[in-house]
Amino acid sequence: MPFSIAEQLAQDKGISPQSSERISGAIQYVYVQYQNSGNSYLSLNVLEHRVYHLMGKSLSQARIHIEIEKFANQKEHQLLRTKGGLFYYRPLYFTEIQIAQRLADLTSTMGKVPKQYQLVMDRLIQEGKIPILDEGQKEGIEQFFLRE
């Protein structure tokens, strides 16, 4: 359901645009939309920005920040906040950790990471040892291997 319909229903019921319930709904909507677009995490800045624009700029960013913190601390949302300020859906976070560990295990058996890691990645995909990766995942792996 588009957020505008939920907003209209809330308004018809007399729920204030300033209510925590409506702000929480906007936060949930933004987070779910972001996940449905294939992302496994969302930064605090992006979340604040999108909620601010979704709510028609009727709220201060400070209030939105407070509501995001409350939302993230509610266990039913299963959000995990990293030290870097990223919000992950808890099951996806641990899945990504497992994938990273599997990649590390696969490459550690090869000895030194080859200069042409892309050939290695292509081979691992072809052999079915890792799934086909999107551009963001490829870039993340490249950064991991190329760090000094």
Side-chain angles (χ1 to χ4, degrees):
M1 160 173 35
F3 188 74
S4 59
I5 293 173
E7 277 291 278
Q8 185 61 51
L9 291 171
Q11 185 177 9
D12 291 349
K13 288 188 173 204
I15 301 172
S16 166
Q18 304 291 319
S19 75
S20 290
E21 185 178 33
R22 278 178 77 174
I23 300 166
S24 179
I27 294 165
Q28 178 80 28
Y29 180 82
V30 168
Y31 192 76
V32 168
Q33 291 298 313
Y34 213 74
Q35 274 188 305
N36 288 342
S37 68
N39 296 292
S40 58
Y41 67 88
L42 183 61
S43 73
L44 176 60
N45 290 340
V46 170
L47 185 55
E48 285 178 348
H49 176 77
R50 290 186 183 212
V51 170
Y52 179 74
H53 286 284
L54 188 63
M55 295 297 294
K57 302 177 186 176
S58 62
L59 299 170
S60 71
Q61 288 186 331
R63 172 75 189 282
I64 291 170
H65 182 87
I66 290 167
E67 294 296 334
I68 288 172
E69 292 297 334
K70 285 175 25 182
F71 182 89
N73 289 326
Q74 295 171 344
K75 289 187 180 189
E76 67 267 18
H77 297 129
Q78 293 196 48
L79 291 181
L80 185 142
R81 186 173 184 180
T82 66
K83 290 180 183 177
L86 301 176
F87 291 97
Y88 280 86
Y89 178 58
R90 184 175 291 276
L92 290 179
Y93 176 79
F94 291 109
T95 299
E96 288 205 359
I97 295 294
Q98 289 173 347
I99 290 169
Q101 183 60 53
R102 182 143 185 222
L103 286 170
D105 291 346
L106 288 169
T107 58
S108 69
T109 61
M110 295 177 226
K112 197 173 182 182
V113 176
K115 296 271 186 208
Q116 297 181 352
Y117 69 93
Q118 186 60 49
L119 295 174
V120 173
M121 297 303 295
D122 291 342
R123 182 176 52 84
L124 292 173
I125 290 169
Q126 189 176 39
E127 292 173 359
K129 293 182 178 176
I130 61 173
I132 295 173
L133 307 172
D134 66 27
E135 290 305 313
Q137 291 168 321
K138 288 178 185 176
E139 184 177 324
I141 292 168
E142 179 180 335
Q143 293 303 313
F144 176 80
F145 286 129
L146 297 180
R147 68 183 176 174
E148 294 297 325

